[in-house]
């Protein structure tokens, strides 16, 4: 009995391998619908329902909005704003509100950036695109989930852009002063030279404004084909951008800590944060991708070090945009005389 079962399994496996080999040997013919990486939409508007920012100064998560604009083959511009959802997603601010021993109002984490990229080199070259073959018959039942996806490789065009980036940024956040002063081994003092009396958690606010310069490399594909053997239209319209920037924030402000002293007739005492070491420069490496469609989605990720508290600049950021609206901003129509 065991031999019969093994024999049947062997025959079944051999049959499937033969079918797969026959499928793989079948050539795919197709009609090219378009292949023009310069024919992309000009304006993209991103709604970002989620971002996560693992920032050494203040871990936070929230939402945002972003936009991209492409000016021919000369330059492109971007803007981004984001902020934490609520205090529960803004860890230092949440701890500050719960403790309530400091008069400073803990600021919500917010970030704004505006910049542009000049296309130093913008050219088109020959490439290949790997496309997954999908047929409508796979949609019946769970055949697509159980089917090993087939693919084909077709020649296509790719647009490569080497760019020079520059822009400005600003962010605002609450900071954990107790941990910072302990790490740097410094003590806050008031105008009379008296040390800060609280040993438990206390906070203040950090505001940074500055700019960045850097470089980028982008790849753009915008092609579609229609296979002749019952497969659906296959599209590759992905826009991928990678970049590296140097950050500089000469406008760096760390607020003094205000404390109402119950041992001194509830007088408000102000403790300067000037003894805390800050760093006005930083860097980042990033990647973002989106699709050249009227309605799509996008992602972005960064890692680096922000200007701010010395030793607490590291951050890792992930952004998801859904949906992303885009348009070519061409509302003109041809007119013909009768």
């Amino acid at each position: 009995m065991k031999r019969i079962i093994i024999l049947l399994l062997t025959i079944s496996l051999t049959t499937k391998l033969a079918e797969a080999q026959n499928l793989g040997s079948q050539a795919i013919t197709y009609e090219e619908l378009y292949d023009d990486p310069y024919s992309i939409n000009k304006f993209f508007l991103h709604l970002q329902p989620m971002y996560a920012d693992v920032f050494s100064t203040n871990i936070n998560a929230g939402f945002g909005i972003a936009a991209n604009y492409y000016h021919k083959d000369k330059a492109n511009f971007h803007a981004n704003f984001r902020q934490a959802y609520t205090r529960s997603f803004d860890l230092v601010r949440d701890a500050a509100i719960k403790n309530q021993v400091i008069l400073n109002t803990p600021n919500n984490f917010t970030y704004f950036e505006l910049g542009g990229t000049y296309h130093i080199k913008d050219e088109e070259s020959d490439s290949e695109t790997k496309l997954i073959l999908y047929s409508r018959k796979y949609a019946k039942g769970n055949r697509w989930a159980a089917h090993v996806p087939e693919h084909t490789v077709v020649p296509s065009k790719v647009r490569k852009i080497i760019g020079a980036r520059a822009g400005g940024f600003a962010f605002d956040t609450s900071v954990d002063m107790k941990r910072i002063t302990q790490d740097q081994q410094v003590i806050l003092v008031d105008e009379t030279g008296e040390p800060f009396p609280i040993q438990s958690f206390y906070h203040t606010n950090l505001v940074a404004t500055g700019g960045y310069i850097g470089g980028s490399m982008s790849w753009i594909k915008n092609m579609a084909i229609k296979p002749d053997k019952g497969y659906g239209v296959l599209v590759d319209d992905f826009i991928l951008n990678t970049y590296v920037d140097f950050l500089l924030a000469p406008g760096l402000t760390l607020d003094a800590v205000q404390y109402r002293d119950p041992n001194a007739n509830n007088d408000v005492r102000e403790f300067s944060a000037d003894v805390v070491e800050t760093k006005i420069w930083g860097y980042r490496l990033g990647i973002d991708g989106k699709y050249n469609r009227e309605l799509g989605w996008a992602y972005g990720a960064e890692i680096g070090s922000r200007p701010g508290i010395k030793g607490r600049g590291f951050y890792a950021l992930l952004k998801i945009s859904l949906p992303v609206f885009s348009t070519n901003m061409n509302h003109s129509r041809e007119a013909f005389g009768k």
Side-chain angles (χ1 to χ4, degrees), residues 55 57 171 184 206-208 249 252 254 276-282 305-313:
F55 186 19
T57 298
F171 68 88
Q184 296 191 6
L206 171 70
V207 178
L252 198 63
L254 194 59
V276 175
E277 290 188 77
T278 57
K279 183 183 67 171
I280 67 171
W281 63 272
S305 179
R306 290 192 181 109
I309 307 298
K310 185 176 181 180
R312 291 189 168 271

Side-chain angles (χ1 to χ4, degrees), residues 176-197:
D176 181 348
M177 285 299 288
K178 178 188 176 183
R179 185 170 298 179
I180 291 169
T181 54
Q182 287 178 343
D183 289 347
Q184 296 191 6
Q185 297 182 348
V186 296
I187 299 175
L188 303 189
V189 296
D190 63 10
E191 62 274 8
T192 65
E194 290 293 320
F196 190 72

Side-chain angles (χ1 to χ4, degrees), residues 1-52:
M1 185 65 181
K2 290 182 179 179
R3 292 181 179 178
I4 295 176
I5 294 175
I6 293 174
L7 179 61
L8 291 175
L9 290 173
T10 303
I11 294 173
S12 176
L13 179 60
T14 304
T15 303
K16 292 210 175 275
L17 288 174
E19 290 176 354
Q21 185 176 4
N22 289 334
L23 284 172
S25 62
Q26 295 175 352
I28 300 295
T29 57
Y30 62 88
E31 174 190 358
E32 182 182 286
L33 302 180
Y34 58 85
D35 185 9
D36 186 0
Y38 283 92
S39 181
I40 63 172
N41 289 335
K42 293 182 179 180
F43 180 74
F44 294 80
L45 178 64
H46 305 239
L47 301 182
Q48 295 176 336
M50 188 278 290
Y51 80 82

Side-chain angles (χ1 to χ4, degrees), residues 211-232:
Y212 69 88
I213 57 172
S216 66
M217 181 72 187
S218 302
W219 295 264
I220 300 175
K221 286 188 177 182
N222 188 42
M223 56 84 67
I225 64 171
K226 176 63 177 73
D228 296 333
K229 294 191 174 183
Y231 296 102

Side-chain angles (χ1 to χ4, degrees), residues 265-330:
N265 299 320
N266 288 324
D267 290 340
V268 176
R269 299 169 62 188
E270 189 170 278
F271 296 83
S272 173
D274 292 344
V275 294
V276 175
E277 290 188 77
T278 57
K279 183 183 67 171
I280 67 171
W281 63 272
Y283 66 90
R284 65 182 175 187
L285 293 85
I287 182 172
D288 54 57
K290 57 183 176 290
Y291 294 89
N292 182 45
R293 301 174 189 177
E294 291 185 358
L295 185 63
W297 69 282
Y299 68 85
E302 291 181 2
I303 189 170
S305 179
R306 290 192 181 109
I309 307 298
K310 185 176 181 180
R312 291 189 168 271
F314 173 82
Y315 78 100
L317 171 69
L318 176 65
K319 301 177 290 185
I320 300 295
S321 299
L322 183 69
V324 176
F325 305 96
S326 71
T327 175
N328 61 12
M329 303 181 72
N330 183 8

Side-chain angles (χ1 to χ4, degrees), residues 83-297:
Q83 71 173 28
Y85 291 125
T86 63
R87 79 182 213 192
S88 299
F89 294 89
D90 193 344
L91 297 192
V92 176
R93 178 170 178 259
D94 183 49
I97 293 175
K98 287 178 178 177
N99 284 271
Q100 293 184 336
V101 296
I102 301 301
L103 297 180
N104 303 60
T105 301
N107 290 347
N108 187 25
F109 181 90
T110 57
Y111 183 93
F112 176 75
E113 182 175 316
L114 178 66
T117 301
Y118 174 72
H119 298 183
I120 298 174
K121 187 177 182 180
D122 189 336
E123 63 180 13
E124 178 185 287
S125 61
D126 294 328
S127 179
E128 290 185 336
T129 296
K130 182 178 179 179
L131 299 168
I132 302 298
L133 298 173
Y134 178 80
S135 175
R136 292 179 180 176
K137 64 183 179 180
Y138 298 153
K140 298 178 181 179
N142 61 351
R143 292 186 64 184
W144 176 244
H147 187 80
V148 177
E150 300 174 74
H151 69 272
T152 187
V153 177
V154 299
S156 64
K157 301 291 185 181
V158 61
R159 179 180 171 189
K160 298 179 181 179
I161 303 172
I162 298 175
R165 293 163 47 92
F169 66 88
F171 68 88
D172 189 358
T173 183
S174 302
V175 296
D176 181 348
M177 285 299 288
K178 178 188 176 183
R179 185 170 298 179
I180 291 169
T181 54
Q182 287 178 343
D183 289 347
Q184 296 191 6
Q185 297 182 348
V186 296
I187 299 175
L188 303 189
V189 296
D190 63 10
E191 62 274 8
T192 65
E194 290 293 320
F196 190 72
I198 297 178
Q199 301 302 317
S200 60
F201 172 89
Y202 63 100
H203 76 281
T204 190
N205 297 311
L206 171 70
V207 178
T209 57
Y212 69 88
I213 57 172
S216 66
M217 181 72 187
S218 302
W219 295 264
I220 300 175
K221 286 188 177 182
N222 188 42
M223 56 84 67
I225 64 171
K226 176 63 177 73
D228 296 333
K229 294 191 174 183
Y231 296 102
V233 174
L234 308 178
V235 179
D236 185 2
D237 55 1
F238 195 57
I239 301 174
L240 179 66
N241 180 49
T242 60
Y243 54 90
V244 56
D245 294 326
F246 173 76
L247 314 176
L248 186 66
L252 198 63
T253 303
L254 194 59
D255 292 345
V257 178
Q258 296 180 342
Y259 172 63
R260 189 182 299 279
D261 193 347
N263 298 321
N265 299 320
N266 288 324
D267 290 340
V268 176
R269 299 169 62 188
E270 189 170 278
F271 296 83
S272 173
D274 292 344
V275 294
V276 175
E277 290 188 77
T278 57
K279 183 183 67 171
I280 67 171
W281 63 272
Y283 66 90
R284 65 182 175 187
L285 293 85
I287 182 172
D288 54 57
K290 57 183 176 290
Y291 294 89
N292 182 45
R293 301 174 189 177
E294 291 185 358
L295 185 63
W297 69 282

